[in-house]
Amino acid sequence: MCGIVGYVGPKDATPIIINGLKRLEYRGYDSAGVAVINNGQIDVRRDAGKLQQLVDLLGKSPLTGAPGIGHTRWATHGAPSARNAHPHVGNTGKMVVVHNGIVENFLELKEELGAEGVIFNSDTDTETIVHLAEHNKAAGISFEEAARRTFKQIEGANVVLLLSTDEPDKIIAARIGNAGGIVVGLGEGENYLASDIPAILEHTRRMIFLESRQMVVLTKDSFRIETIDGEEVKPEIHTIAFDAVSAEKGEYRHFMQKEIHEQVRALTDTLAGRVDFKEGRIRLPELNLTPELAKRIQRIYITACGTAAYAGMVGKYLIEKIARIPVEVVIGSEFRYSDPIVDENTVVLAISQSGETADTLAAMEEGRKKGGIVWSIVNAIGSQAMRVADGYISMQTGPEIGVASTKAFTAPLVDQYMLAILLADLRGVIDEKTRRELVSDLRLVPDLAGRVMDSEADVEKVAHALKDIKGCLYLGRGINMPIAYEGALKLKEISYIHAEGYPAGEMKHGPIALIDEEMPVLCITPKDPWHEKMISQIQQAKARGGMVIAVATEGDDLVKNMADHVLWVPEAPWMLSPIITVLPLQMLAYHIATIRGLDVDQPRNLAKSVTVE
Ligand code: AGP
């Protein structure tokens, strides 16, 4: 997903834009650029590679002026190169654009514009936007009207920022569909645009989130938001709670390491204001859940992608066990095309850190279309998945910058546990004693997580032992089976070592053939109802010469005497154990990747939020 920053005000735009783009580096990119209006002319600097290349270029050839727009690109159409980097200027040199998303009808537009003599200088779909805008402007209409017409002519999910030398006091931007968000930051005598909050948080906390098919005309002193069909919009102005520091690494080497350790506070924060320990009750007001609605729910689909989907797999165990409602977990990219059986008594619960994942948003739309009740568990404030839902639970973990998701995995585990208790309570399927016990167990979570953080040095030692492995099997059972998938994904996505999560009980049906001295096996073996089964799993792996790394409960001598390495965790109530067993696996993947000298926060080929199909 690309990074976008815009500035309109009395200061030079370039340093504000560059600093903002630096805060979006985690979104993944392969080229970057910035454009300003200076003395009535558009001036652009752009280059392939990391943001530092652009900074070096600007050092040699500075840019002054405002307004300005900047962009870090994650290539979709056209290889990463200077000529394909944004911003793109039109043939008249009077307009310039940056863009996130895909212009699905760009080939037809390119043909029409080419037939009118427009010269294309890149392989991107983005370039068609600025040529189309100049073409529209040439009809003698205002910049705003030309932009509006352009927004209606491009198809697909897109976020667009435009500048025009004819009206150099404004930036016009639009959001169409789910191509990532666009935030309007309101300053004093200056205003900002960004694709994500951290880019402009140091300048302002007052923010407006554009909805799909909305556009903004932004000057240094004013903003006007309308739909691209011309209806005025009275936007909600949010005041962002977390501070700019939370979008910094602090004393940690990587955002990922910081966010692993932040989970102690994030788990506390996701409980904040929702748990009445005295009465043993849960409150989730943003869910808009009434007793009538709770009673008529007959099934729940949980839909998400990647790590979020694995969090949903744990949620299935929790909701079925506590609330006795059938739950099916379907990944977003499948749900949207599976013609799911949804009616007015079906909940479609989406889980998403960014709230902008295209497959997950499309799954929510599918649930909506079929008349379902659409809920979401989301981290990014004001994101699409938070706004389009009938009710939501905010993860409340603060921004998650590292591409490999950590705190946005454990927080939804707690959120689904709380949801299960609330549903059970409203449906009358749980007695007060059980409810109080389940609620009381939540009190343990932050402290148990904190104790695992203290074992990081031990985990790092195991990472050194595993740093040259060629692959790894992660095995789990029951409520910890999804942790096998999540632990394997963490290793894959940041260390590039192939790892496979697998239900331990399935090994004897084929995959056990993989196990030998070259194939280590990681067995998630806490004291939970499946502990004994996992012990025999370890025996089976050892019998075939496999190195065994076990996640085990402190004091478990049986595992200690069998496994080659043990990642110890404190004893936890079994329904909350996945929150704890995943932590050493996050740290293990982090340290293996770091030892291998890899870019942990920006793994190759990945982006923090996948806003395209
Ligand atoms: C997890 O570490 C990955 N970054 C990826 O699987 C991620 O969880 C997935 O893309 C879903 O993102 P979301 O939670 O923002 O929807």
Side-chain angles (χ1 to χ4, degrees), residues 245-279:
V245 171
S246 59
E248 293 293 337
K249 277 187 274 204
E251 78 272 15
Y252 294 99
R253 280 184 64 190
H254 299 99
F255 279 112
M256 182 181 178
Q257 187 182 30
K258 174 184 174 234
E259 288 153 8
I260 287 172
H261 285 268
E262 264 181 353
Q263 289 177 104
V264 179
R265 187 177 56 70
L267 289 164
T268 307
D269 288 353
T270 207
L271 291 170
R274 291 155 169 183
V275 187
D276 179 341
F277 284 109
K278 186 165 161 297
E279 295 304 319

Side-chain angles (χ1 to χ4, degrees), residues 256 304-310 351-358 360-361 377 379 385 395 400 402-406 408-409 486 489-490 493-494 606-610:
M256 182 181 178
C305 300
T307 284
Y310 301 145
I351 301 175
S352 177
Q353 190 288 128
S354 63
E356 301 292 352
T357 300
T360 305
L361 292 173
I377 299 178
N379 195 38
M395 293 183 196
E400 183 177 74
V403 166
S405 193
T406 49
F409 175 75
E486 172 56 12
L489 176 59
K490 287 283 119 9
E493 66 177 328
I494 60 175
L606 294 181
K608 182 57 185 169
S609 171
V610 184

